[in-house]
Amino acid sequence: MTTLLNMIDEVSMNLSGYTLQQDRATHITADVAATASTIAAPITISLASTDSVGKGIVEIDEELFWVDNYDRVGNTATIAPYGRAYIGTTLAAHTAGTKVTIAPTFPRFTIKRAINDTITAIGSSIYAVGTTTITSNAATLAFRLPTTGAALDIRSILSASYQSLGASKEWVPIRGYRLDGNANTTAFTSGQTISVYDTIPSGRTIQITYSTYPAAFTSNSDVFATQTGLPESCKDLVILGATYRLLSNLDPARASMVSPQADEVDSKRPYGSSQSVTKQVYALFNQRLNEEIKNQQDKYPIRVHYSL
């Protein structure tokens, strides 16, 4: 099972390979509490080594810190009053032995955000698939679609069928139905209804297969297929999407470098060189996206039905 944590690691590996970037790292030698750093009580973190540490950003787990000053002898770094949960990351506790990445090229929280942005973006082209059931009633035409916590947010109904009477247990396709995604919430609390126009005996189970928008990750332990609703084959599609989104930020980061050293680097890797790699990854992303769209169209072909 692929989790968000696995995907963050894979995107990070891809980015390191494309950029030949090996971030400097060490580890903390004492626990760090989830406490803000203040002028009166600055937070000091103990490190295994401060050889590569300077003023600037360090990353522990998924939290960014801003180091205000450091002690080479005591191997400690003092965090600025604004330095905890830096740039919108989440304040958290960290245990001794945790890796400290110094000036990370791609912080893990930005990788997570790029993964979720990709999942949200591809939702306009491919969809998550779910099923729900209702019970038929001969006296009822419109049925409230059930919810589990939040509303199902159904985009379209892919198929609807009911279980026939008798020993065959056949699921008979329903030919006449209509989805109302903006039903009156006073009459139907979920705000979504299906009107069934076929004659179905009361008490039969109606199974509805529907498409919906993929859900973004909320926790590192979330399983890809379970959380998003997308098939496991879409995993590499999301990874490619996150990779090209992050690679596109490399050149803007180098645009403000003005120094003899920067000019020397630019002679070997001119500004804009990363865009060719970004275009290559983006082309692979589009290829995989079209393949997944075709797979969904083959698996869930358009079914003819009547709608009033």
Side-chain angles (χ1 to χ4, degrees), residues 17 35 38 45 67 90 103 105 111 120 125 131 158 182 198 200 202 222 261 286 293-294:
T35 307
T38 63
I45 58 176
V67 174
T90 302
T105 307
I111 296 176
T120 302
S125 301
T131 60
L158 302 174
N182 297 291
D198 288 10
I200 302 173
S202 294
D222 287 342
Q261 293 85 352
N286 276 322
I293 292 173
K294 182 63 167 59

Side-chain angles (χ1 to χ4, degrees), residues 231-247:
E232 188 70 22
S233 59
C234 287
K235 183 202 72 171
D236 70 313
L237 170 65
V238 174
I239 288 172
L240 285 170
T243 301
Y244 93 76
R245 286 171 182 271
L246 293 166
L247 282 173

Side-chain angles (χ1 to χ4, degrees), residues 156-207:
S156 64
I157 293 177
L158 302 174
S159 65
S161 57
Y162 70 93
Q163 192 172 31
S164 64
L165 294 167
S168 69
K169 297 183 179 180
E170 179 186 4
W171 288 86
V172 181
I174 297 174
R175 300 298 184 188
Y177 60 84
R178 178 176 67 89
L179 170 68
D180 184 356
N182 297 291
N184 184 281
T185 54
T186 301
F188 304 98
T189 54
S190 68
Q192 293 185 314
T193 64
I194 180 173
S195 298
V196 179
Y197 304 118
D198 288 10
T199 302
I200 302 173
S202 294
R204 307 312 300 160
T205 297
I206 297 175
Q207 178 169 289

Side-chain angles (χ1 to χ4, degrees), residues 18-60:
Y18 281 117
T19 63
L20 297 177
Q21 176 68 41
Q22 302 297 322
D23 291 328
R24 295 162 295 159
T26 181
H27 64 272
I28 51 176
T29 57
D31 293 350
V32 178
T35 307
S37 187
T38 63
I39 295 176
I43 296 293
T44 300
I45 58 176
S46 299
L47 302 171
S49 171
T50 54
D51 290 347
S52 299
V53 176
K55 280 193 173 185
I57 294 175
V58 299
E59 178 186 56
I60 305 177

Side-chain angles (χ1 to χ4, degrees), residues 7 14 21 49 75-76 82-83 98 107 118 121 131 163 166 185 216 218 246 302:
M7 296 182 70
N14 287 349
Q21 176 68 41
S49 171
N75 283 336
T76 61
Y82 51 84
T98 302
T118 301
T131 60
Q163 192 172 31
T185 54
T218 58
L246 293 166
I302 297 174

